[in-house]
Amino acid sequence: MEHFLINSSVCLFSLWLVYKLLLENTSWHQFKRFYFLAAIIISAIVPFVVVRTVVVPLNYGPAPDFTTVELNPDTVVDTGFTLDWSWILWGAYLMGVLIMGYRFMRNLYDLRIKTADEVTTYATYKLILRELVQVPHSFFSSIYASKKDYHAGDIPDAVLQHEKAHLDQRHSVDILFIELLIVLFWFNPLLYLVKYSMKLNHEFLADQAVLSSGVPTKAYQETLLAYSSSSQHQALANTFNFPIIKKRFTIMKTHTTTASGLLRSLALIPVLALLIISCGQEEIVTEPELIEIVEEPEVNLVDKKNKIFIIAGQESGIALIDRAKFIFKRENDRIVIYDNDGTVQNFQERGYEIVEVDEISEEIEEVEIVEVLPNITVEDITEYNRLAKKHAAMIEQKGHSIYFKDETTHMQTIWNTMNEEQRANAEPWPYLGIDGNKAGEIAPPLPPTPPAPKVLSIEKNKNQRSNSSNKEQSLSQSLSTSIYSVSNGDINTLYASNINQGQDSTFATKEMMQEYKKLMQQSYRGDSRIWKNSDLERMRNIYVKMSPKQKNTVEKLPMLPSIDLSEVQPIKPNDQQFESWKNSKNYAVWIDGKVITDLKAGKYQLSDITHYHVSKVYKNAQSQKYPQPFQVNLYTKKGFENAFRNKTEIR
C-alpha cells in the first residue's frame, strides 16, 4: 500500500507540474481537460507496471572467505505498554473519509430542487431560481440563478450562455469524479491541486464557447468583472465568477499554434518513460553466468606415443585408458580392446602402443586394472552394505584394520562397479582414512612377519623388466596370493596397480556440490550473510562428506559463535502484554516451540508463562503463512528448562 501511495503521488505531481509549465497557458483547453483525467488514471496504473531489470553477474574472482559470522540478536525492551500505531492511523483515515463523505452528500443535497424554488427553462436545461443564490452556477442538467436578479433583468444572457456551455460539455462529470477521489484519498494534497486546475480549465472552455458564439470580448470581460466581487462558491458546481480573473482574461486572447501544441505534447513521452522506470514495480532478473567453452586443438596422439601395458600371459581383463574402462581379450595371438557396449576400439590407429610386460612400473597412471561385476544389481548393493557394516564394526571392535580375504575382495569389487550416486547412497567405505587410504582402498591388519613377497611395481616410460619365471602368473593371481602376506611398507605399492587412482574419497555428489554452492551464494544480503538453521545443517552434512580436493573448490563452512543459553534469565510478561498477544493479526505466537493459532482459546493462561521473547518481522521477511509484523515466543516452566537449562550452548 505504501508503494502505491508514494509512487502514484510522485506520478500525479510530475504530470501536474508538466501541465503548469507547458500546457496551462495554451488554448488547447479540450486537450487539457482529457489530460487531467488521463493523468489521474496513469498515476494509478504506473505503480503496478512491472519494470524488469536484468542483472548480468560479473566474475571478480573467488568470494571472500567468511569463517565467522557475527550474530546481532534482536533486543526487546519491555516498556510495560504497547502502542499499536496501525489502529490509530486507520482510525484517523476512516474519520477523514466520514467527514469528507458527509461534506460530499451535503453538497449534493443542497443542489436538489426545493419547495421554494421556481423552475423554468433556458435552452434545453432547467433554470432553477432561488432567493439566496448570488452568482449563477450549474450542475449536470440544471442552472441555478438568483430569482430576484432574473426577474429584474439583471442577469446578462452571456452569463447564462456561460453556464449552458458547462452543461453542454458535461463538466459536472469531471467534478464528480475528482470529488469522489477526494473522499477516499482526502489526505493527498495533490488531488486538491488537480481539482483547482481542472475547474479553472472548465472556465477556459466555457469562456471560449461564449466568445465563439459572437459575444464581444470586452463586454464579456466587463460582465465577468461585475460578478468577481461575490464570494459565493459551490464545491460541486461550475461557478461563473471562478477566481483568477486576470488569468482568464489572458487566456481569452491566447491562440496556440498546432506546431507549438504538438511540441509541448511530445515532451510528455520522456516524462512518462521516466515515471514508468522510476515508479514502476521493479523486478530483478539475474541472467545465468555464461561460461565460454573453448575447444582445444586435437592432440596428435601418434606423436604422443601413448602406451597400453598388458600383463604378459593374461587372457582377458579390464584396463583404464585415458581414465575410461575398456575390456581386452586375446584373440588369435592378437589383443583386441572393446568398450562397454562391445564395440571394438582400434587404439593403435590413434597412436597407442600395446606393450606386454611381466611387471608394471609404479609411476604409470594411465593403466589401471580392477575387478568389476558385469552388471550390478540391487542385491549386490545390499550385499556391499552388509559387508561394509561388518567390516566397520570389526574395525571399531578391534581398534585396527581387519581383512576377511574373500569377503573383503568381493566388497571391493562391488565398490569398484558402483557409480558415484550409488556410492553416495551406500554405506561409507570402511577403510576410509585408515593409514591414509582413500575410498576403495584396503588397509589389512599387520600380519606376522612373512617371507619377502613379490611386489608388483609400476614404472612410467622406463624400460620394462622381464621375469620369465613369473610370466605365467597373472596380476589378479598375484594379488590374491600376496595381499595378506605383504608388509605395511609395501602394501601401497601393491595396491597401486589394483586401486582406481583417479578415484578421490568423494561422498559428496555433483548435485550435492551444486546445492552447497547455491546455499552459500543465497546467503549474501548486501554486506551481511544470513542463513537459515535448516540450510546451515544441510551445508554441514554436505561439507563433511567432501574430499579435501572438493573442499578446496568451495567456500569454507561458516563457524558460528557459541551462545551460552544457561545465562538467559526468565522474563515474565504482564497482563497487558499477554492480552495484546491475543491479536492474531499482529502477533504470531509459539509456546514451547509449537505454533498457537488462537491464544484466545484459553488453553494457556498468564500464570502458565515463565519467559517470553518478542521480535519484529520486517516486510521483506513476512510470509504468506505468517504475515504478522511481530512474532512472540512463549515458554512454560517446563519448556524454559528444556530450552535454556538442559543445553549449554548453541552453535
Side-chain angles (χ1 to χ4, degrees), residues 420-421 508-516 538 542:
E420 289 189 4
E421 183 178 358
T509 64
K510 181 179 180 181
E511 290 75 13
M512 290 180 180
M513 296 294 292
Q514 291 175 348
E515 181 182 1
Y516 181 90
R538 177 60 179 161
I542 297 175

Side-chain angles (χ1 to χ4, degrees), residues 119-311:
V119 181
T120 182
T121 59
Y122 180 81
T124 59
Y125 301 106
K126 293 179 183 178
L127 179 60
I128 301 174
L129 304 176
R130 290 183 174 177
E131 295 289 347
L132 300 179
V133 175
Q134 297 178 8
V135 179
H137 52 271
S138 58
F139 183 72
F140 272 105
S141 61
S142 301
I143 300 174
Y144 301 83
S146 171
K147 182 189 296 186
K148 178 181 177 182
D149 293 344
Y150 181 78
H151 289 301
D154 294 337
I155 300 178
D157 186 64
V159 175
L160 297 178
Q161 287 187 39
H162 179 95
E163 299 305 325
K164 177 179 175 295
H166 284 304
L167 301 182
D168 289 341
Q169 299 178 24
R170 299 287 187 266
H171 294 166
S172 300
V173 175
D174 302 358
I175 300 301
L176 200 60
F177 173 66
I178 193 67
E179 285 290 342
L180 287 174
L181 288 178
I182 289 176
V183 170
L184 296 176
F185 302 100
W186 54 267
F187 53 85
N188 192 340
L190 293 173
L191 291 176
Y192 299 94
L193 291 176
V194 172
K195 175 189 171 183
Y196 182 84
S197 297
M198 184 183 291
K199 294 187 73 173
L200 179 59
N201 188 61
H202 288 170
E203 298 306 318
F204 295 159
L205 283 166
D207 293 341
Q208 189 181 56
V210 172
L211 294 176
S212 62
S213 66
V215 176
T217 302
K218 185 175 181 181
Y220 181 71
Q221 291 177 344
E222 291 175 352
T223 303
L224 188 60
L225 285 172
Y227 281 91
S228 63
S229 59
S230 176
S231 60
Q232 189 178 32
H233 177 64
Q234 284 287 336
L236 294 180
N238 292 103
T239 309
F240 178 72
N241 69 331
F242 193 80
I244 315 184
I245 302 299
K246 184 178 180 180
K247 170 74 76 174
R248 291 172 65 179
F249 285 179
T250 303
I251 296 299
M252 288 178 193
K253 302 175 182 178
T254 300
H255 175 70
T256 304
T257 62
T258 303
S260 176
L262 288 175
L263 287 175
R264 294 168 187 262
S265 302
L266 288 176
L268 292 172
I269 296 177
V271 173
L272 289 175
L274 288 174
L275 290 178
I276 291 174
I277 294 173
S278 59
C279 300
Q281 189 173 355
E282 185 178 13
E283 178 181 298
I284 299 177
V285 178
T286 303
E287 281 192 349
E289 185 177 358
L290 298 178
I291 301 176
E292 184 179 0
I293 300 177
V294 180
E295 293 187 1
E296 296 182 357
E298 185 177 357
V299 178
N300 189 343
L301 296 178
V302 176
D303 296 338
K304 192 175 179 181
K305 290 294 182 181
N306 292 302
K307 295 182 180 181
I308 303 174
F309 296 102
I310 302 296
I311 298 296

Side-chain angles (χ1 to χ4, degrees), residues 36 64 67 81 102 192 227 333 349 363 436 469 491 517 546 565 575 599:
F36 279 118
T67 56
F81 176 73
Y102 170 76
Y192 299 94
Y227 281 91
D333 297 329
E349 290 184 356
E363 297 178 7
S469 62
I491 191 65
K517 293 176 181 178
M546 294 183 192
L565 297 181
D575 293 337
L599 193 60

Side-chain angles (χ1 to χ4, degrees), residues 580-588 597-600 627-628:
S580 67
W581 294 335
K582 294 180 180 180
N583 184 353
S584 59
K585 292 184 179 180
N586 293 333
Y587 297 94
T597 57
D598 189 4
L599 193 60
K600 294 181 181 179
Q628 296 89 340

Side-chain angles (χ1 to χ4, degrees), residues 75 79 201 293 416 461:
T75 302
T79 60
N201 188 61
I293 300 177
N416 290 334
N461 294 332

Side-chain angles (χ1 to χ4, degrees), residues 329-612:
K329 294 181 181 179
R330 293 182 183 272
E331 299 178 0
N332 300 325
D333 297 329
R334 187 169 64 93
I335 297 176
V336 181
I337 299 177
Y338 300 88
D339 60 14
N340 292 332
D341 296 329
T343 305
V344 176
Q345 302 293 319
N346 195 339
F347 283 98
Q348 290 174 318
E349 290 184 356
R350 295 160 57 183
Y352 285 82
E353 178 184 357
I354 300 177
V355 180
E356 295 189 52
V357 296
D358 293 327
E359 295 179 341
I360 300 179
S361 174
E362 184 178 12
E363 297 178 7
I364 293 179
E365 297 178 357
E366 290 86 352
V367 179
E368 178 184 42
I369 303 174
V370 294
E371 270 197 65
V372 296
L373 300 175
N375 294 301
I376 190 166
T377 63
V378 176
E379 290 75 13
D380 293 328
I381 297 177
T382 303
E383 177 66 10
Y384 165 79
N385 289 333
R386 183 187 70 80
L387 293 174
K389 290 180 181 178
K390 179 179 178 180
H391 281 71
M394 289 298 297
I395 291 172
E396 183 177 1
Q397 179 181 352
K398 298 293 185 180
H400 56 76
S401 60
I402 52 91
Y403 179 70
F404 293 112
K405 198 174 182 180
D406 293 340
E407 288 187 346
T408 303
T409 304
H410 184 52
M411 179 180 67
Q412 184 185 38
T413 302
I414 299 174
W415 174 269
N416 290 334
T417 310
M418 289 191 293
N419 57 36
E420 289 189 4
E421 183 178 358
Q422 291 170 332
R423 292 174 183 175
N425 296 325
E427 290 291 324
W429 182 251
Y431 293 100
L432 182 65
I434 299 177
D435 294 333
N437 283 283
K438 300 178 181 180
E441 295 181 346
I442 300 174
L446 291 174
T449 305
K454 295 180 180 180
V455 180
L456 299 177
S457 63
I458 299 178
E459 183 172 297
K460 185 176 183 180
N461 294 332
K462 293 182 180 179
N463 295 328
Q464 306 300 319
R465 293 175 299 169
S466 176
N467 191 339
S468 59
S469 62
N470 296 320
K471 198 167 186 178
E472 302 298 328
Q473 185 180 19
S474 67
L475 177 62
S476 59
Q477 291 172 332
S478 298
L479 292 175
S480 62
T481 57
S482 303
I483 193 167
Y484 198 84
S485 62
V486 296
S487 64
N488 272 359
D490 295 326
I491 191 65
N492 290 331
T493 304
L494 175 63
Y495 288 165
S497 61
N498 188 40
I499 303 302
N500 187 348
Q501 298 299 318
Q503 172 68 45
D504 296 327
S505 59
T506 67
F507 290 99
T509 64
K510 181 179 180 181
E511 290 75 13
M512 290 180 180
M513 296 294 292
Q514 291 175 348
E515 181 182 1
Y516 181 90
K517 293 176 181 178
K518 181 178 180 182
L519 292 174
M520 187 67 74
Q521 186 65 29
Q522 289 176 347
S523 66
Y524 285 96
R525 298 291 190 276
D527 296 332
S528 304
R529 305 291 296 276
I530 299 175
W531 286 278
K532 295 180 181 178
N533 289 334
S534 58
D535 291 344
L536 276 174
E537 186 64 25
R538 177 60 179 161
M539 290 165 59
R540 187 180 295 110
N541 292 337
I542 297 175
Y543 192 79
V544 297
K545 292 183 178 181
M546 294 183 192
S547 66
K549 182 178 179 181
Q550 288 177 317
K551 290 179 180 179
N552 290 334
T553 64
V554 298
E555 284 191 56
K556 294 182 180 178
L557 185 70
M559 303 295 294
L560 299 181
S562 300
I563 302 175
D564 192 354
L565 297 181
S566 62
E567 296 182 358
V568 178
Q569 299 301 320
I571 304 174
K572 191 172 182 64
N574 55 39
D575 293 337
Q576 188 175 6
Q577 289 174 317
F578 191 76
E579 289 299 320
S580 67
W581 294 335
K582 294 180 180 180
N583 184 353
S584 59
K585 292 184 179 180
N586 293 333
Y587 297 94
V589 182
W590 282 263
I591 297 182
D592 293 342
K594 297 180 179 179
V595 65
I596 303 298
T597 57
D598 189 4
L599 193 60
K600 294 181 181 179
K603 183 178 179 180
Y604 292 92
Q605 304 296 327
L606 177 61
S607 58
D608 298 328
I609 307 304
T610 300
H611 179 65
Y612 77 95

